[in-house]
Amino acid sequence: MSASPAKFDPSRAAKFMLKHGHSAKIGLSYHAHGADWVELELPWRDDLVGEVERGILASGPIISLLDMASGLSIWTATGEFIAIATLDLRVDYQRPARKGAALIGHVECYRLTKSAAFVRGFAHDGDPSDTVATMSGTFMSIKQDPRNV
């Protein structure tokens, strides 16, 4: 008799997932989570600045922050690590992040279907009511062997 797999825990998974590749390069770290949401933190660093004269973070690291938090929110909502692929990710910027302030990316998975997950979220630099960016996304989940779909 085999034990059932443990429920996905984003705080434990982040310890491994954020230590490698692009997430590690830009310095993403786990911040918090709930039943269907995850928060990650992106540090403000000189090498992540896109507009040097004004000290404004580049958009790429912010998109990566929200994309990674999206995946973790989906796995948190489903309770399991399954293969997913980003179908659509829209990020709308409201203002530049404050120079020197870390960004928090908060993403919730608000709907799951048989083959898709829908997420929405925002990034802020200290006040969640004063967002730097908002986002929405659609991800395809692949729970079964894609050769049998």
Side-chain angles (χ1 to χ4, degrees):
M1 182 174 197
S2 64
S4 62
K7 185 174 180 177
F8 182 81
D9 178 348
S11 64
R12 290 185 63 207
K15 288 177 184 172
F16 173 76
M17 297 174 86
L18 302 179
K19 298 287 184 213
H20 304 280
H22 185 69
S23 296
K25 181 72 175 174
I26 64 173
L28 293 181
S29 62
Y30 171 82
H31 192 257
H33 78 275
D36 59 359
W37 59 268
V38 169
E39 287 183 350
L40 298 179
E41 182 175 325
L42 172 69
W44 190 98
R45 294 191 329 222
D46 286 335
D47 64 328
L48 300 179
V49 169
E51 218 176 296
V52 177
E53 303 79 33
R54 297 174 48 196
I56 296 173
L57 283 177
S59 61
I62 298 171
I63 292 169
S64 295
L65 165 72
L66 294 169
D67 190 31
M68 191 65 188
S70 294
L72 285 166
S73 75
I74 293 165
W75 297 320
T76 300
T78 62
E80 62 182 329
F81 181 82
I82 55 173
I84 58 172
T86 307
L87 295 179
D88 180 52
L89 184 67
R90 176 188 172 99
V91 178
D92 295 312
Y93 296 91
Q94 281 81 54
R95 64 174 179 80
R98 290 180 185 87
K99 185 176 181 178
L103 277 186
I104 303 298
H106 176 103
V107 179
E108 73 167 326
C109 178
Y110 66 92
R111 181 169 170 79
L112 292 166
T113 68
K114 184 177 176 184
S115 61
F118 300 90
V119 298
R120 59 185 164 215
F122 55 89
H124 68 86
D125 54 7
D127 179 359
S129 67
D130 184 20
T131 56
V132 170
T134 55
M135 62 78 65
S136 62
T138 306
F139 291 73
M140 182 174 80
S141 62
I142 307 167
K143 284 189 169 185
Q144 56 187 336
D145 187 336
R147 294 172 292 190
N148 298 327
V149 175

